[in-house]
Amino acid sequence: MAERRMISRKIAEDDRFVDMHPVSKLLYFYLVLNADDDGFVGSVKMINFLTNADQSNYDELLENNLILEPTKNGVYVITDWYAQNKIEPKIYKATEYLSVRALLFIKTNFAYTTNPDEKDIISPVDYWVKQGRDKKTPPEIQAQQYLEQFQETSKKVPRSVEETSKKVLAQNRLDKNRLDKSRLEQNRPDQTKKEKINIDKDNSTSTSSIYNNATTENKGNSGEKGGVDSGVNNQLDTNNNQDTVSSLFNYLNGISTTDIPKDNKRLADVFDMLIHNGYEIEDIQLGIDNIMNVANQMPQYQNEQSLAKLLIQHLPEYTKQTLEQSSSND
């Protein structure tokens, strides 16, 4: 956590701030001081003790739009965080409250808002952060860039399972020191071994290459001519995955207000790809939970198609983050 934060005179001398109760003013200063690099504050008991603040002081800050509370889980957001603070990219550390950040939008004055219908919005905060938290490019140009990127992404034909798997596995190799490798090796020793063989061989891997290795090993160990029928083995693996994929659809539809059919090929491919990459069903379910926490707060994701699209685009990322956080906690 940083030891120093900035507060703008424009904020501290604004009428909405000057007219507040002194405890509310002190509370705001302490919230800014204890915020992470995205302007989020989660644990406030010590702050309340130091400032003698109660709910009425938080309500006063909320009414004056100095802070936001996107969800009722005790996480507060400094509305004008980026108007007051500049965190250099080399030391910037993203907030741990990613599900809360996913509910926010960035405005042309670089303030946060939870209202997607405001006219001066640049883009969702997640997109803006991934683009480098750019404050040099004019906001109207950034808004146009986001619109073009969104339209282009919407038109793209989904990649095959093999292509998606290769991309995710490549990223996993870059981050492998941050993953709980012992957990994956304990639960899926055979598959982990096959992935390592592929990586050592040509520094690349895919779902199809895992099947190829399984077929080769079976042939080498079989006494029959040509080895065991690879088609039978592949069919067995596929059937096992189908059962797990079906269970994931049941879990999703059990916690969702919509009913996404099990013949949704793109979402089924995402589930299948995650299973092939060694993720346990519990990890994937936690990823689904995190996305549903976001979707339930946003009306535009309350229908089958938009929710399925959200899961297809972000479930691998959220599942990976869930496992990384679990590993770091262990």
Side-chain angles (χ1 to χ4, degrees):
M1 180 66 66
E3 296 295 325
R4 292 181 294 274
R5 296 301 191 192
M6 301 295 293
I7 294 179
S8 169
R9 285 182 56 191
K10 183 178 180 181
I11 302 297
E13 296 180 357
D14 189 272
D15 288 347
R16 60 177 175 162
F17 191 89
V18 172
D19 293 338
M20 288 195 308
H21 190 280
V23 173
S24 299
K25 297 177 186 177
L26 183 61
L27 174 61
Y28 182 78
F29 289 139
Y30 267 92
L31 288 173
V32 172
L33 182 63
N34 286 274
D36 60 27
D37 287 354
D38 281 318
F40 290 62
V41 190
S43 301
V44 297
K45 287 186 177 181
M46 179 58 71
I47 295 176
N48 295 342
F49 174 77
L50 293 172
T51 61
N52 199 30
D54 56 27
Q55 187 58 48
S56 65
N57 302 115
Y58 285 93
D59 291 340
E60 191 170 18
L61 293 175
L62 289 166
E63 289 171 5
N64 286 285
N65 199 35
L66 289 165
I67 64 173
L68 301 171
E69 189 181 14
T71 61
K72 298 300 180 181
N73 61 356
V75 177
Y76 296 95
V77 183
I78 309 300
T79 306
D80 300 291
W81 176 255
Y82 279 108
Q84 302 180 90
N85 288 275
K86 179 181 179 181
I87 314 296
E88 294 297 331
K90 62 182 180 181
I91 61 173
Y92 165 76
K93 182 178 180 181
T95 182
E96 63 181 276
Y97 306 110
L98 296 177
S99 61
V100 178
R101 195 179 73 181
L103 304 176
L104 298 176
F105 300 85
I106 196 78
K107 300 166 63 175
T108 54
N109 63 352
F110 302 107
Y112 288 130
T113 181
T114 57
N115 183 6
D117 297 324
E118 290 194 32
K119 296 182 179 179
D120 55 349
I121 284 178
I122 296 177
S123 71
V125 171
D126 279 354
Y127 176 84
W128 188 72
V129 170
K130 289 179 181 178
Q131 295 301 111
R133 299 172 296 131
D134 184 9
K135 295 178 71 175
K136 296 181 180 179
T137 305
E140 59 273 14
I141 295 179
Q142 293 192 52
Q144 182 62 32
Q145 289 174 343
Y146 169 72
L147 180 61
E148 292 174 355
Q149 173 71 17
F150 178 79
Q151 292 173 342
E152 183 65 23
T153 302
S154 300
K155 288 191 244 181
K156 282 184 179 178
V157 177
R159 292 186 293 268
S160 67
V161 176
E162 288 79 11
E163 292 171 326
T164 305
S165 178
K166 184 174 181 179
K167 180 178 179 181
V168 173
L169 284 172
Q171 183 62 42
N172 284 348
R173 288 199 300 273
L174 294 176
D175 298 335
K176 63 181 178 180
N177 291 329
R178 298 168 58 195
L179 293 174
D180 186 354
K181 293 186 291 185
S182 62
R183 179 181 177 186
L184 295 178
E185 291 172 353
Q186 180 180 359
N187 292 320
R188 286 182 174 264
D190 293 338
Q191 181 167 336
T192 304
K193 179 179 178 182
K194 293 165 191 173
E195 289 178 356
K196 288 181 179 178
I197 292 173
N198 289 335
I199 294 171
D200 293 337
K201 184 176 181 181
D202 58 6
N203 199 32
S204 64
T205 186
S206 67
T207 303
S208 59
S209 64
I210 294 174
Y211 280 129
N212 291 338
N213 279 345
T215 304
T216 302
E217 291 176 5
N218 286 331
K219 285 183 178 181
N221 295 329
S222 173
E224 298 177 10
K225 184 177 180 180
V228 178
D229 186 355
S230 62
V232 174
N233 290 331
N234 286 347
Q235 185 62 45
L236 290 174
D237 291 342
T238 302
N239 288 338
N240 290 336
N241 285 350
Q242 285 178 348
D243 291 340
T244 307
V245 168
S246 179
S247 297
L248 289 169
F249 271 106
N250 291 337
Y251 179 81
L252 169 62
N253 291 327
I255 64 174
S256 171
T257 58
T258 64
D259 190 9
I260 300 178
K262 296 182 180 180
D263 60 0
N264 187 310
K265 181 68 164 56
R266 294 180 62 191
L267 184 54
D269 285 348
V270 172
F271 287 155
D272 187 63
M273 177 268 294
L274 289 170
I275 296 166
H276 277 305
N277 287 345
Y279 290 103
E280 295 297 316
I281 187 170
E282 294 82 3
D283 300 324
I284 304 172
Q285 288 173 344
L286 286 174
I288 293 173
D289 288 341
N290 288 335
I291 290 183
M292 290 305 302
N293 288 336
V294 176
N296 289 336
Q297 303 292 329
M298 305 184 76
Q300 60 266 42
Y301 294 125
Q302 300 305 309
N303 64 76
E304 170 197 323
Q305 292 183 343
S306 60
L307 179 59
K309 182 176 179 181
L310 183 69
L311 287 158
I312 291 166
Q313 291 179 340
H314 296 290
L315 184 57
E317 172 189 356
Y318 272 71
T319 302
K320 177 184 172 186
Q321 289 173 353
T322 298
L323 184 54
E324 288 179 344
Q325 290 173 359
S326 175
S327 300
S328 62
N329 292 334
D330 294 341

